[in-house]
Amino acid sequence: MSELALRRPLINRRYTLELRQHMAWYWQALILGASLVLGLLVSGAILVAAGVPAGELLNEFVLYTLFDAQSLKSVLFQASPLIMVGLAGCLAFRARFWNLGLEGQMIFGAIGATAITLWDIGSPSLRLPLMILTAMACGLLWAVAPVLLRLKLRVNEIVSTLMLNYIAVNFLLHLMYGPWKDPKDAFPYSPKYESFELLPDLPGGLSLSIPIAIGLAVLVLWFVSISRAGLYLRFVDKSPDVARSVGVPVARTILMAVLFSGALAGLAGLMVAAGQEGRLTHSFYVGYGFSGILIAFLARNNPIAATCAALLIATLFVAGRSLQVFYQIPFAMVQLIQAVLVICVASSDFFIRHRIRRVQGGE
Amino acid sequence: MKKMIFSACLALAGFFGLISTVNAEGLTLEGPPKIAMLYISPTNDGGWTQAFDEARQRLEKDLGIKIQYVESVPESASAIRPAVERFIKRGANIIIGTAFGYSDTFKALSEEYPNVAFLNGSGTTNGPNLLSFYGRTYESQYLCGMAAAAASKTGKLGFVAANPFGQVNWTINAYAMGAHEINPDATVTVVYTGAWNDPTKERSATKALIDQGADVIGQHVDTPTPQLVAQENGVYGTGHHRDFREFAPKATVCSSVWVWDRFLKTELEKIIAGNWVPNPNGALLSMQEGGTDIACCGPNISEEEEAKIMAARDKLLKGELQIYAGPLYDQDGNLRAAEGEVIPDPELWQMDWFVDGVITQQ
């Protein structure tokens, strides 16, 4: 009897999950910030358990990474190609096209730019703009086949873009170990770019690739939220069938978004080759495809959020490297911490999109 | 007048001579030595990086200095820079890299930090405070080729190689030349996997070679997979990087191993002593200088053959044997080194030809 009286309210207490239509941006930011703090606390606990002195963590690691000029420079140095692949992911995913071929498009972008340097096309002052355009064109061209296959023959783009990556990688290796190897020492990288073929540093030491990346983020924002194509894109994203029946040019919209995505990935390849390495190397693309998908996912395909997410990922890379340098912890630990932070941020999405509400039991 | 010009020239020459002696003044560290290493892979990769980490532990003991490290630093400027800059900021003044892909970034960093000594294993760049070093793997692999021919019944040797370029091709040719010391009819069939670290491709390449009748499998790739597959199939093999008897005790008859500490100990002592002037062409280490050695011999090699291999090893350790000495012809009959000549290093790096008995897909 008494037992029943205690249990009844619990039995009757019910909760329901509701989809949230909209949430003010400051609430979203607050939830995101809270999830990041939670992730940092969990990571901190892991590190302390691994024997890192707790007192030093905040001081040396967090503050040092974020407020040291050299670290900040490293973050920005790393960020621009990440922003590019993140934006490329956003664009394709908005058209419901799962572009897993970001790495292949990157590789061809860098190959195109390198071809311009090897064949000395254009005068020195025109060289860099020409390389940028060629990189975008080559990235775009590498995306043509899968998008046409998907639109004309309904070939699954997940498979086709992924497989095209392998072709791109092996073609790159063929060039690096064959015709394009550096004649100076026969090692598997292209000859060094000339100084006018490199993305220059701006006064203050920042690479030109940062303003380019931010400019393109704004351009993509305009494309997806203001332009007519962006309006169509939203239709296609919500329901391709409805979009088609109300007269939206679905195929053309998908084609445009995917080609734009490929062009941006191609530019990411140029940013690594001409902004970081100073030549074409045999493994410059590694990891960018996955990072691009991750960034677009974290940003829920919003270009500005993708830029922030790319900066976050770059910070994680640099901070992870300092952690290793400071405490000699294994790299696996760094990856674990990065994964914890990403999972925390990703799960915050749940609270932004849903609300938990208590409902009355059916008495 | 002529005399005056002459003496002016002399004075000028003397002036430049002075400058060059100033330039030749080597690097002397400021403060006590603090060493940091950057590894391309995890410390327990079983091969290349683990060999460096084992050398690091021996060096710590020998030099009495703690050596910091950071693992899994990929070959990209955006990953190398933050690690090196952070080490330097924390007081490191000797930085040791372990990858060919670090070359350009190390060159740039060595110019930005002229008071820091840089060393890079398998690198290509050098400078007043930067020394790249690598081992003449063809010496140790020549000995492994001898062991392979000794262990083989059929004389058909297989070889799993990474990528077709100089430092892999010189290994293959030396392997064949070593094998011919024991069995003049031995052949070496090569499969390039196109990757340094791809166990799946290495497995299928090894299996294919065994199916074609190879009964000893040599390798110049990073994982012990070829040895494992050889053991599973009841044939033999020779390892690379470290003593692969650790992974395949029944199969591995010989391994080409890195002995970096033998070289790094003397080089680090030179740096610490001050006035360090690195070789502007880099250090391509012979077995005598402490680059490579062998771990030999495993099963199926008779005492007589083992004695032959060890005698050749002794000669290499004393610097009395040159592998790429003439007369030497390639498969097409072109003379590659005349009688009494040794192929110079720049030509070794460019090696794209093969000796008789080597069968490749190229």
Side-chain angles (χ1 to χ4, degrees), chain A residues 8-181:
Chain A
R8 178 165 269 154
L10 272 176
I11 289 171
N12 290 344
R13 204 173 288 171
R14 292 222 178 129
Y15 293 91
T16 178
L17 269 180
E18 286 180 354
L19 273 180
R20 240 193 252 272
Q21 288 304 319
H22 183 72
M23 188 183 223
W25 66 269
Y26 44 86
W27 277 112
Q28 293 196 19
L30 192 72
I31 290 180
L32 212 64
S35 67
L36 208 57
V37 169
L38 180 71
L40 285 172
L41 286 177
V42 174
S43 311
I46 294 173
L47 284 171
V48 170
V52 174
E56 283 180 24
L57 261 183
L58 180 77
N59 185 15
E60 282 217 71
F61 172 55
V62 181
L63 297 181
Y64 203 84
T65 306
L66 293 177
F67 299 106
D68 177 70
Q70 202 177 47
S71 284
L72 205 61
K73 225 175 112 181
S74 302
V75 169
L76 293 176
F77 187 62
Q78 181 131 50
S80 41
L82 286 172
I83 295 176
M84 286 297 98
V85 287
L87 292 175
C90 289
L91 271 171
F93 300 160
R94 275 194 178 234
R96 297 227 164 185
F97 184 94
W98 303 111
N99 182 5
L100 303 189
L102 294 173
E103 284 184 357
Q105 291 141 20
M106 244 183 115
I107 289 171
F108 267 91
I111 286 177
T114 308
I116 299 286
T117 73
L118 285 177
W119 299 331
D120 282 326
I121 299 171
S123 67
S125 56
L126 272 178
R127 187 66 59 83
L128 193 59
L130 204 57
M131 283 165 67
I132 292 177
L133 290 177
T134 314
M136 295 183 80
C138 290
L140 182 152
L141 286 174
W142 200 243
V144 166
V147 70
L148 286 184
L149 283 171
R150 150 85 184 271
L151 292 175
K152 303 285 176 203
L153 301 173
R154 297 197 169 199
V155 172
N156 185 329
E157 76 277 9
I158 295 179
V159 177
S160 62
T161 52
L162 200 62
M163 290 300 127
L164 282 170
N165 282 347
Y166 290 106
I167 297 177
V169 169
N170 282 306
F171 185 62
L172 174 72
L173 286 178
H174 163 72
L175 290 175
M176 293 295 91
Y177 284 96
W180 282 11
K181 70 179 166 207

Side-chain angles (χ1 to χ4, degrees), chain A residues 327-345:
Chain A
Y327 303 116
Q328 311 285 295
I329 55 170
F331 187 61
M333 185 83 90
V334 174
Q335 289 174 312
L336 179 69
I337 288 170
Q338 288 172 347
V340 165
L341 288 175
V342 167
I343 288 173
C344 282
V345 171

Side-chain angles (χ1 to χ4, degrees), chain A residues 60-61 64-65 68-71 74 77-78 170 173 177 181-189 192 272 276-279 281-284 288 318 321-332, chain B residues 56 66-79 81-87 89-90 100-101 103-105 107 113 122-125 163-167 194-196 201 349-350 352:
Chain A
E60 282 217 71
F61 172 55
Y64 203 84
T65 306
D68 177 70
Q70 202 177 47
S71 284
S74 302
F77 187 62
Q78 181 131 50
N170 282 306
L173 286 178
Y177 284 96
K181 70 179 166 207
D182 189 354
K184 226 176 77 207
D185 48 22
F187 268 76
Y189 42 40
K192 266 194 166 170
V272 177
Q276 298 183 352
E277 306 297 338
R279 57 171 64 170
T281 61
H282 67 293
S283 60
F284 74 92
Y288 280 100
V318 172
R321 209 50 82 187
S322 336
L323 264 183
Q324 271 186 286
V325 169
F326 287 163
Y327 303 116
Q328 311 285 295
I329 55 170
F331 187 61
Chain B
R56 178 185 67 85
K66 175 137 181 56
I67 301 176
Q68 298 171 285
Y69 67 91
V70 50
E71 64 179 4
S72 301
V73 180
E75 295 174 297
S76 87
S78 62
R81 267 187 175 274
V84 172
E85 286 177 341
R86 192 54 55 87
F87 270 132
K89 202 152 202 181
R90 295 189 37 111
F100 136 75
S103 302
D104 287 344
T105 311
K107 179 75 182 165
Y113 298 96
S122 79
T124 59
T125 48
N163 287 295
F165 72 126
Q167 65 184 54
W196 284 101
K201 279 187 195 159
W349 288 112
Q350 306 264 2
D352 56 359

